[in-house]
Amino acid sequence: MEQWMYLPIFSLIGINMAAFVIYGVDKWKAVHHKWRIPESVLLLLAAAGGALGALLGMRIWNHKTRKPKFYILVPLLLVLWSAAVIWIAYPK
């Protein structure tokens, strides 16, 4: 496998790590009454490929777990991204 072919894999790993950390930072800011990260940014991270990191961040930090747009959209985005990765990795 060519080295450049690893770029999408490392990109997905990076965005998931970023999403996880940013959900944790936003939770910390919420607890300490600081300026918050907009919900649109949190959802955009999930939509851009960080759905697994966002879902783990939601569960581990117990953040945004009561908001329907998060507890519905983030798992749905994870399913869509997972299907896309499987479809690309295992073509017929």
Side-chain angles (χ1 to χ4, degrees):
M1 190 174 206
E2 299 284 334
Q3 285 183 339
W4 64 269
M5 297 176 94
Y6 289 106
L7 184 61
I9 296 166
F10 289 127
S11 296
L12 281 175
I13 291 169
I15 193 137
N16 277 285
M17 289 171 47
F20 178 76
V21 169
I22 290 172
Y23 271 68
V25 168
D26 192 51
K27 176 64 176 194
W28 182 89
K29 288 182 173 204
V31 169
H32 291 91
H33 307 289
K34 303 285 183 183
W35 173 84
R36 303 284 303 281
I37 297 168
E39 289 184 347
S40 60
V41 171
L42 297 174
L43 288 171
L44 183 62
L45 282 167
L52 179 60
L55 188 60
L56 289 173
M58 287 173 62
R59 300 290 184 214
I60 290 172
W61 310 121
N62 194 28
H63 191 49
K64 301 291 187 187
T65 57
R66 295 183 184 178
K67 294 199 168 222
K69 65 180 157 184
F70 282 89
Y71 71 73
I72 292 170
L73 281 178
V74 173
L76 178 63
L77 288 166
L78 178 57
V79 169
L80 292 174
W81 269 100
S82 298
V85 167
I86 290 168
W87 184 64
I88 291 168
Y90 300 104
K92 287 189 176 187

